Amino acid sequence: MHSCTSVSLDLIFHLGFANNSSLRPFRRSRLCLSQERGIIKPENRHDKGTFTEYNKLGTKDDLLISHSPVAQQDSLPPLVSALKASAEQKVASFHFPGHNRGRAAPPSLTQIIGLKSFSHDLPALPELDNLFSPVGPILEAQRQAAKLFGSSETWFLVGGTTCGIQAAIMATCSPGEFLILPRNTHLSAISAMVLSGARPKYIIPQYDFKWDIAGGVTTSQVEQAVKELEMEGQRAAAVFITSPTYHGICSNLTEISQLCHSHGIPLIVDEAHGAHLGFHPQLPNSALQQGADLAVQSTHKVLCSLTQSSMLHMSGNMVDRERICRCLQTLQSTSPSYLLLASLDAARSQLSENPDTIFNRAMELAFEAKYLIKEIPGISVLDLARFSNFPAIDPLRLTIGFWQLGLSGYEADEFLCRDHGIVCELVGNRSNTFTINLGTSRDDIQMLILGIEHLVGITAPIDGEKGYGEFDGYTPFADIKMSLIPRDAFFASKKKVGIGESLGKVCGELICPYPPGIPVMIPGEVITEKALEYLLDVRSKGAVITGASDTSLSSIVVCNV
């Protein structure tokens, strides 16, 4: 076995990632024609999910060549096949939508997506099945997805993971029942509590101030929340965990699911960023593989379905499937897009062709990119050492810190995008997150390396580790006092007050800055001085404030209580 440090320096430092800095000499290394193949594995358990195992690095010339597209399937998956056959029928169409199979498609949009997309944009025709009572190709497509992902049943979603999370919480929590969940949960879980009337029992996740990033949830935190409810004579109706987080941090769902089941509590996992998990030896196991009862995945994120399409998976019989069906019918459109549904079927089919090897190339690229970027002075790369209480970080997430250069994530993003055409997934206060997927090429990695090297070349590193604007040692949700449950706050009468008058009042709107994408104020919580300071701080540094009626934060909506 070769350790990470035993990889040939010639290979690592001369991959042809030329330095394009205007302040330093331009040099492109010639590449040798061969290189011994090796296997790179983690040196300890904390490295799980950080490095990739692969058969060989290949020749250096290979490393500069974009990999070929994913292989095409020989036969069409069931829903894709049904949609294709229906679109090819010679019929007089007297049904919706009004573009009439593309005959009246808006010319401005056909210039972008062509006519074929419109000809396949069909309604719930008999041959295409019905999403809410499937008996044909939708049923077969969902069954094949369930088999691939290891669920007892899978539902296709056209309202994104948002509607899946809402359905999962509504199916497990009735009005007044308690839901244990992290305070940095996705906004959809808050709206689900408004819809269901569930009462939140919040867990405060680990927070890393250097990176300005929240971690996952530990088993002991869940156990403590369960015990606290029991001491109050209450019981949790469900536990809701986000794993992996936006930055790829994974909680120990195996232990958490065992704990939940020992108390007869179902475990719901927001796995929006983890539809690919479990499909490579160096990827963490999926939520279902770790015992989750319900898992909601954004198939459109790392996998390849169309944006807004997701899947809800169920395992076991702890959750009432009929209640899930009723919730989904309540939340989803009665006119679902068959393009979105077919894209879910197609993405499943693409993955099932080579489920054990399809991510090999992406894993290689992710490892090489991280290794090279770590060698660039003034640049930090997030690894599991910052969150050692957790079993893994998704290796396909690359979070890079720029504070040693005296730059915020916003400033680095502006430079990389404007001058190098590099578009990241998540812009943060102190870092940016890049995602590597099946479509990532070596050209993309080369552009990223060149862009970062250029940024370093024109920026003088500052002294010390603190660098750019570290916060003052408190989380954005450190001081929580809930006056109303989210549902009651949502329906309460409200008024708008100046920010100076809002202190101590009950928040009437959900205020969430991006970054870090964590709700700082949730309807029903008492507005604190620390929360206001945090909001004003991140807004001054470029964060986008969502949910607030006044994004300048000169005023805030509060409840009349």
Side-chain angles (χ1 to χ4, degrees):
M1 177 190 301
H2 298 280
S3 70
C4 183
T5 56
S6 67
V7 179
S8 167
L9 292 179
D10 179 60
L11 171 67
I12 292 299
F13 295 114
H14 302 290
L15 283 177
F17 296 146
N19 181 351
N20 198 29
S21 169
S22 60
L23 301 183
R24 290 186 288 180
F26 179 88
R27 181 173 64 87
R28 180 181 298 275
S29 301
R30 291 295 300 168
L31 303 179
C32 62
L33 297 179
S34 64
Q35 172 66 34
E36 287 297 321
R37 301 170 182 255
I39 297 177
I40 296 180
K41 296 183 177 180
E43 296 184 62
N44 57 58
R45 68 176 185 87
H46 294 310
D47 291 326
K48 181 175 179 0
T50 302
F51 302 113
T52 181
E53 177 182 327
Y54 51 94
N55 290 330
K56 63 178 179 177
L57 295 173
T59 68
K60 294 182 180 180
D61 287 327
D62 290 341
L63 296 179
L64 291 179
I65 301 173
S66 300
H67 66 279
S68 60
V70 178
Q72 301 295 313
Q73 291 80 25
D74 294 330
S75 59
L76 294 178
L79 187 52
V80 175
S81 178
L83 186 62
K84 180 176 183 294
S86 184
E88 291 175 349
Q89 291 177 351
K90 302 296 183 182
V91 297
S93 175
F94 294 95
H95 58 71
F96 299 138
H99 60 67
N100 203 312
R101 301 186 180 225
R103 299 179 184 110
S108 59
L109 191 54
T110 60
Q111 292 181 42
I112 300 175
I113 66 174
L115 280 173
K116 277 198 170 183
S117 297
F118 284 96
S119 67
H120 290 81
D121 180 30
L122 298 172
L125 300 172
E127 66 268 21
L128 295 181
D129 210 356
N130 187 297
L131 180 61
F132 301 114
S133 54
V135 294
I138 293 179
L139 178 63
E140 178 59 25
Q142 291 184 156
R143 283 176 173 171
Q144 291 191 23
K147 182 179 179 181
L148 177 65
F149 289 97
S151 67
S152 57
E153 187 158 358
T154 290
W155 291 269
F156 283 1
L157 308 175
V158 293
T161 293
T162 290
C163 82
I165 288 172
Q166 291 170 340
I169 292 175
M170 290 173 65
T172 53
C173 299
S174 297
E177 293 185 329
F178 281 90
L179 173 68
I180 296 174
L181 73 166
R183 180 54 179 74
N184 63 327
T185 190
H186 188 264
L187 309 183
S188 58
I190 309 302
S191 64
M193 289 190 287
V194 171
L195 293 168
S196 66
R199 304 175 64 88
K201 174 66 175 176
Y202 289 123
I203 292 172
I204 306 302
Q206 178 183 338
Y207 201 83
D208 189 288
F209 301 105
K210 187 171 185 177
W211 285 86
D212 190 25
I213 288 175
V217 170
T218 65
T219 309
S220 61
Q221 287 178 311
V222 177
E223 185 174 23
Q224 181 64 28
V226 171
K227 287 181 178 179
E228 288 177 1
L229 286 177
E230 290 177 346
M231 291 173 63
E232 299 169 2
Q234 303 290 343
R235 179 183 177 276
V239 171
F240 178 87
I241 302 293
T242 301
S243 182
T245 66
Y246 211 146
H247 298 93
I249 302 163
C250 300
S251 298
N252 192 330
L253 298 179
T254 299
E255 289 184 356
I256 293 174
S257 65
Q258 291 171 353
L259 171 67
C260 290
H261 295 160
S262 70
H263 290 271
I265 303 171
L267 174 62
I268 306 167
V269 178
D270 173 0
E271 203 174 21
H273 293 273
H276 60 298
L277 298 187
F279 288 100
H280 188 278
Q282 288 296 93
L283 285 171
N285 285 335
S286 70
L288 291 179
Q289 290 171 331
Q290 296 184 72
D293 299 284
L294 295 173
V296 195
Q297 298 176 338
S298 293
T299 318
H300 64 89
K301 293 191 186 298
V302 179
L303 301 185
C304 304
S305 67
L306 294 176
T307 296
Q308 197 176 310
S309 60
S310 296
M311 295 186 192
L312 169 59
H313 304 291
M314 182 176 74
S315 181
N317 55 11
M318 187 171 286
V319 180
D320 183 354
R321 72 166 301 277
E322 295 301 327
R323 189 168 170 179
I324 293 176
C325 291
R326 290 194 297 270
C327 291
L328 286 174
Q329 189 160 7
T330 300
L331 295 164
Q332 296 216 85
S333 170
T334 55
S335 301
S337 166
Y338 277 80
L339 287 172
L340 295 181
L341 294 173
S343 77
L344 287 168
D345 192 25
R348 185 276 315 160
S349 178
Q350 179 187 40
L351 181 58
S352 64
E353 286 292 304
N354 298 289
D356 298 324
T357 60
I358 191 170
F359 283 103
N360 283 0
R361 189 68 166 179
M363 294 288 286
E364 291 177 17
L365 292 174
F367 169 76
E368 292 161 8
K370 290 177 185 179
Y371 194 97
L372 289 165
I373 292 170
K374 284 181 178 179
E375 299 299 319
I376 301 175
I379 297 297
S380 302
V381 178
L382 181 69
D383 57 32
L384 204 57
R386 301 300 305 186
F387 292 95
S388 57
N389 289 338
F390 302 98
I393 292 181
D394 179 3
L396 297 185
R397 292 294 158 103
L398 176 59
T399 298
I400 302 174
F402 302 94
W403 61 81
Q404 294 182 61
L405 302 177
L407 299 176
S408 70
Y410 306 104
E411 293 166 328
D413 177 67
E414 182 180 3
F415 172 85
L416 292 173
C417 185
R418 181 193 65 221
D419 292 8
H420 288 270
I422 298 165
V423 183
C424 73
E425 169 59 28
L426 178 64
V427 182
N429 184 46
R430 297 174 60 77
S431 64
N432 294 341
T433 298
F434 303 80
T435 62
I436 296 171
N437 52 47
L438 295 176
T440 304
S441 69
R442 295 215 175 267
D443 290 341
D444 298 328
I445 300 300
Q446 181 180 13
M447 287 177 65
L448 179 60
I449 299 294
L450 288 172
I452 295 174
E453 287 186 337
H454 188 191
L455 179 60
V456 171
I458 63 174
T459 308
I462 62 177
D463 293 330
E465 278 291 309
K466 186 173 181 180
Y468 177 87
E470 185 169 347
F471 294 118
D472 297 326
Y474 63 88
T475 67
F477 38 76
D479 188 14
I480 296 173
K481 180 181 178 183
M482 190 170 64
S483 178
L484 298 172
I485 66 170
R487 181 181 178 88
D488 291 345
F490 181 87
F491 289 107
S493 64
K494 301 177 180 68
K495 62 182 179 181
K496 186 176 290 187
V497 300
I499 191 169
E501 307 170 55
S502 67
L503 187 63
K505 291 183 169 55
V506 178
C507 188
E509 55 186 353
L510 194 149
I511 304 178
C512 181
Y514 281 85
I518 299 167
V520 173
M521 295 184 187
I522 290 176
E525 292 180 352
V526 177
I527 298 173
T528 65
E529 185 175 356
K530 285 185 175 181
L532 290 176
E533 288 177 354
Y534 182 88
L535 281 172
L536 293 174
D537 183 41
V538 295
R539 185 181 66 83
S540 70
K541 292 172 179 173
V544 176
I545 306 298
T546 65
S549 58
D550 180 2
T551 55
S552 70
L553 294 181
S554 60
S555 63
I556 292 178
V557 172
V558 298
C559 297
N560 284 322
V561 294

